[in-house]
Amino acid sequence: MNIQNLFAHAWLIPLLPFLVFAMIGLILHRWPKVSAAASIAGIATSFIISLQIAWAVFGGPAGAAPFEIAARWLSMPGLRVDMGILIDPLTAVMLVVVTLVASLVQIYSLGYMHGDPGFASYYAYQSLFAGSMLGLVISNNFGQIFVFWELVGICSYLLIGFWFGRNSAKEAAKKAFITNRVGDFGFLLGILFLQIIFGTLNFADLADKIPQYANSAVLITISILLLAGPVGKSAQFPLHVWLPDAMEGPTPVSALIHAATMVAAGVYLIARAFFIFNTSPQTMMVIAIIGGFTALFAASIALVQSDIKRILAYSTLSQLGYMVMAMGVGAMTAGMFHLMTHAFFKSLLFLGAGSVIHAMTDEQNIWKMGGLYKKMPVTTWTFIIGALALAGIPPLSGFWSKDEILLGAYAGGHMELYILGSLVAFMTAFYMFRLIFVAFFGSNTGGEAAHESPHVMTVPLIILAVISVFAGFVGSPLMGNIFGHYVTAAGAAEHEPSAAIMVVSSIIAIAGIFLAWLIYQRKAVDYEALKTKYIGIWTLLYNKYYIDEFYTWLIAHFVDGIAKVFFWFDLYVINGLVNGLAYITGRSGLQLRYTEDGQVQTYALYMLAGVVIILITAICAVFTALA
C-alpha cells in the first residue's frame, strides 16, 4: 500500500473501536472475556495502523503538505460541514499516543477489572472512548471536531460514573458532564462565529482567510470563545473542579482520561487552531496566564493531599497548566512535546497507583500504606521512574519537555512565567516524592499484607516505564530535536537550547526531592503534628481553596434564585396571560352563543337591525356631504 492509500484509510483507526463498541453492545455482551479480547484487538489494530502512518509522516520531509480528504456530511444555506481526514505530524503523534496508551490500559484492565459484573460494558465504553478521541484527532474541521468532542464528553460521563452504585461516582459523573457543558457552550459559539464570518469550518481554509481579516476585536472574541472549550476539557481554572472528582471511576479510566483522551483534547485543540489564537497577543496572554495560574494553583493543592489518586489528579491539572502556558507564550511545539511525554509517565503513574490500590484492597490513603517496596518491587520501581520523569530529572522524558516550556517562557521574555514554572517544578518533585517516601518507603505497616500485581498489570507498567525513560530523546538537542523539526506551526516560537536552564531546572527538581526525603524519610515526620502546626494553610490547601464550596453556594443562591424568579414569572405572568386570554375567549363564546339559537325570527331581527344600521349610516353620510 502506497503512502497516499495508507493515509486515505486512516478512517479505519477510529472506526475499529466504534465497531467493537457496537459488537459488544449488540452481540458480545453476554461473553465478557470475548468482549475484552475484541476491544483489545480493535485498539491494537488501530495502534498498528497509527504506527504505519507515523512512520510514513516522519519518514518524509519536514513541512511537507498535509494529506486531506473530505466528504459532504451536512449542507444547507449558509452552512456546510464535511467529514474528513487530516494527516500531518501533529495528527500522527496524537494517533500513536492515544492508541498506545489505550492499548496498554485495556490490557492492564484485564487484571484490575477481573470479576467486575460490568466487565463487558467497561470494555464497550473503553472502545467508544478511544474511538471518539481518535475521531477528534483526525478531524479536518471544527464541525467534525465538535461532534467527537461531545462524544468524548459522554464517554467520560459513562466511565467516571461506571460504578454508579456509589453516590460519589454518580455525582462525579454529573459534575464532569455539567462543568464541561459550560466550556462547550463558549466553544460552540466560537464555531458558529467562524462559520458566519468566514463561511467555512475547514482548518486549511480558515488558515488562509484569517490572516487577511482586519477586525482584531472580532478575532479576539472568537479566539476567547474557542478557548472556553479547552478550559473545560483540559480542566483549567476556573473549570478545573471536575477532574479531581473523576477519580471515582476505575483507576485505568483515570489513566486514560488524564493521559491520552479527555484532557489531552483541549491542549490538542489549541495546537490545531494555533493559527487562530496566535493572531491575537491579548488572547495568547490570557492563555499563558490561565495555564500558569492553573499550574501553580493545582500544585499547591497536591502538597497536602492524602489520597494517592487525588495527588496524581492535581498533578495532572498542574501539568496541563504547563502545556497551556507553553501555548500562550508561543511555544506550541514544547506544549505538544510535553503532552506526548506526559501521556506516557502519567499513565504509568496512574496504573502504578491502581496496582497499589488493587494490592491494598481499595485503600487509597498514603498514610495507611508504607513499606510497599518490599512487597511490590515492580510497581515500586516503575512508579519511581514515572515520578522522576514527572519531576523532570535528566535524562528522563519529562526533563526534556519541561525544559522546553521553561525555555519558551524565559526566551520569550516572560520572566514571571519562567519563575512560576520553576516554582511548580520544585513543588512537583516535592509532592511526588512525598507520596513515594510515605507510601513505598514509609515506616507504617499498612503495606505488609500487600502483594505484587499479576503480570497482565505489571507488564504494561514496565513498557510505559521504558517509554518514559527514552521518549524524550526525540525532542532533545542530542537528537537534533526531531520532534520540533516536524511538529510545529506558523508563528510558533523557536529558541536555541539553553544549558543554563537545564542545569537550574535539574537542581530545582533535585532540591524538591531532597526536601521531601528530609521531611518524610530521614526525620519520618509525625503527619498529625505537622498538620496541626500549619493547620491554617493545611486546611486551605486540603479544601482546595474552597472553590467547590463557593460554586455550591453560587448555585444554591444565584442559579437557584434566578430559577425561582423564572418559575414565578412562568407561573403567574406567562400562565396568567395565557389563562386570561383563554378565559376571555371562553366568556365571549358563552355570550355569543345566544346569537346562534336556530330561530328564524331571531335571524330576521338581526337582518332588520342590520338594514336599519345601514340606512342610518347612509343618511348620515348624505347629510354630511350636503353640509
Side-chain angles (χ1 to χ4, degrees):
M1 182 182 293
N2 61 44
I3 291 178
Q4 294 296 315
N5 284 337
L6 175 64
F7 290 169
H9 286 82
W11 54 270
L12 289 170
I13 297 174
L15 180 64
L16 290 172
F18 279 129
L19 289 177
V20 170
F21 165 73
M23 288 172 58
I24 295 175
L26 297 174
I27 303 171
L28 303 178
H29 196 272
R30 66 188 70 181
W31 301 293
K33 291 183 179 179
V34 178
S35 298
S39 182
I40 293 170
I43 193 63
T45 306
S46 294
F47 171 60
I48 293 170
I49 301 173
S50 298
L51 277 180
Q52 293 176 320
I53 288 176
W55 184 265
V57 169
F58 294 109
F67 174 85
E68 182 176 358
I69 58 173
R72 187 71 53 83
W73 178 54
L74 175 65
S75 181
M76 63 179 65
L79 177 63
R80 169 185 166 179
V81 180
D82 294 337
M83 294 293 279
I85 297 171
L86 176 62
I87 302 296
D88 63 2
L90 181 59
T91 305
V93 168
M94 288 299 297
L95 288 176
V96 172
V97 168
V98 174
T99 53
L100 175 57
V101 172
S103 297
L104 293 174
V105 165
Q106 290 196 25
I107 293 170
Y108 175 96
S109 298
L110 290 172
Y112 191 89
M113 298 297 291
H114 178 72
D116 192 283
F119 194 76
S121 296
Y122 171 83
Y123 273 96
Y125 297 157
Q126 281 274 0
S127 291
L128 183 61
F129 204 2
S132 301
M133 185 64 190
L134 292 168
L136 186 154
V137 166
I138 68 170
S139 297
N140 72 329
N141 65 83
F142 276 106
Q144 183 177 338
I145 271 196
F146 189 76
V147 172
F148 289 109
W149 187 273
E150 294 305 309
L151 276 174
V152 167
I154 191 63
C155 291
S156 68
Y157 171 80
L158 293 171
L159 284 167
I160 293 170
F162 182 75
W163 287 323
F164 53 83
R166 305 176 183 175
N167 187 61
S168 56
K170 291 187 290 187
E171 292 301 317
K174 289 192 294 184
K175 189 174 184 178
F177 191 78
I178 294 170
T179 304
N180 274 275
R181 297 292 70 71
V182 176
D184 292 356
F185 177 68
F187 183 34
L188 180 58
L189 288 178
I191 292 175
L192 293 176
F193 272 118
L194 286 174
Q195 175 63 40
I196 292 168
I197 295 170
F198 299 102
T200 181
L201 296 177
N202 182 273
F203 295 130
D205 294 341
L206 288 170
D208 291 336
K209 293 182 177 183
I210 284 179
Q212 303 172 17
Y213 191 72
N215 194 328
S216 60
V218 171
L219 289 178
I220 292 173
T221 302
I222 291 174
S223 57
I224 293 295
L225 287 172
L226 292 176
L227 180 63
V231 168
K233 273 290 187 290
S234 289
Q236 297 298 285
F237 183 89
L239 300 181
H240 65 284
V241 292
W242 69 269
L243 190 57
D245 289 359
M247 299 302 95
E248 293 295 334
T251 303
V253 172
S254 302
L256 199 58
I257 289 176
H258 286 251
T261 52
M262 183 85 167
V263 298
V267 178
Y268 169 77
L269 180 68
I270 298 176
R272 176 57 73 196
F274 192 74
F275 62 90
I276 298 177
F277 296 109
N278 198 36
T279 58
S280 167
Q282 295 89 342
T283 301
M284 294 292 281
M285 183 53 62
V286 169
I287 294 173
I289 292 173
I290 289 175
F293 178 80
T294 303
L296 182 63
F297 172 82
S300 66
I301 296 174
L303 294 173
V304 301
Q305 298 300 308
S306 299
D307 186 308
I308 187 171
K309 287 176 67 176
R310 284 189 175 268
I311 294 172
L312 296 179
Y314 282 105
S315 169
T316 300
L317 279 174
S318 182
Q319 297 303 305
L320 288 167
Y322 249 123
M323 300 172 207
V324 172
M325 183 182 76
M327 299 290 179
V329 299
M332 171 267 185
T333 303
M336 284 305 301
F337 185 30
H338 197 57
L339 184 151
M340 183 192 76
T341 60
H342 177 266
F344 298 131
F345 56 70
K346 185 52 63 71
S347 57
L348 167 61
L349 289 169
F350 266 108
L351 295 183
S355 180
V356 170
I357 294 167
H358 182 267
M360 294 289 296
T361 59
D362 296 331
E363 180 58 65
Q364 296 182 200
N365 190 329
I366 61 172
W367 297 101
K368 295 182 180 179
M369 301 175 187
L372 291 175
Y373 79 97
K374 301 175 184 176
K375 303 291 184 177
M376 308 179 69
V378 175
T379 299
T380 299
W381 294 110
T382 54
F383 195 94
I384 289 174
I385 289 172
L388 289 170
L390 175 59
I393 300 298
L396 280 75
S397 59
F399 165 74
W400 303 108
S401 57
K402 178 201 68 178
D403 276 21
E404 281 289 323
I405 295 174
L406 294 177
L407 173 63
Y410 181 82
H414 303 279
M415 194 63 189
E416 68 287 351
L417 293 176
Y418 168 75
I419 295 172
L420 182 150
S422 299
L423 176 59
V424 171
F426 174 82
M427 296 165 72
T428 301
F430 176 81
Y431 66 65
M432 283 307 302
F433 279 84
R434 166 183 176 266
L435 185 163
I436 288 172
F437 290 134
V438 171
F440 291 93
F441 297 97
S443 57
N444 294 338
T445 59
E448 288 186 353
H451 56 83
E452 188 59 273
S453 298
H455 292 311
V456 74
M457 295 173 66
T458 55
V459 169
L461 295 180
I462 295 170
I463 294 172
L464 286 169
V466 173
I467 297 173
S468 297
V469 172
F470 296 106
F473 284 102
V474 299
S476 71
L478 301 176
M479 296 183 66
N481 193 5
I482 297 172
F483 186 92
H485 190 57
Y486 285 92
V487 184
T488 187
E494 296 182 9
H495 307 289
E496 290 297 320
S498 170
I501 286 181
M502 292 182 186
V503 171
V504 170
S505 68
S506 299
I507 292 173
I508 289 172
I510 292 170
I513 296 173
F514 178 74
L515 181 62
W517 174 81
L518 202 62
I519 296 175
Y520 296 102
Q521 188 68 29
R522 184 173 180 270
K523 293 185 177 181
V525 67
D526 183 342
Y527 177 64
E528 291 300 326
L530 186 66
K531 183 172 71 175
T532 302
K533 185 176 181 180
Y534 301 101
I535 189 63
I537 186 66
W538 183 92
T539 303
L540 181 65
L541 296 178
Y542 189 80
N543 289 284
K544 305 158 288 186
Y545 296 95
Y546 296 97
I547 300 294
D548 288 83
E549 288 77 5
F550 171 71
Y551 283 166
T552 301
W553 178 89
L554 194 66
I555 291 170
H557 291 82
F558 184 71
V559 178
D560 289 353
I562 292 177
K564 289 175 182 177
V565 171
F566 279 109
F567 174 75
W568 179 90
F569 186 81
D570 177 65
L571 190 63
Y572 294 103
V573 178
I574 302 298
N575 284 0
L577 178 61
V578 172
N579 292 341
L581 291 173
Y583 176 79
I584 293 170
T585 303
R587 295 301 300 179
S588 300
L590 287 174
Q591 297 303 317
L592 289 174
R593 70 177 181 172
Y594 295 111
T595 66
E596 303 292 333
D597 59 1
Q599 298 294 321
V600 176
Q601 297 91 331
T602 302
Y603 299 151
L605 180 62
Y606 294 155
M607 290 175 64
L608 179 60
V611 170
V612 171
I613 292 172
I614 292 171
L615 287 173
I616 292 173
T617 304
I619 292 169
C620 290
V622 170
F623 278 111
T624 302
L626 292 175

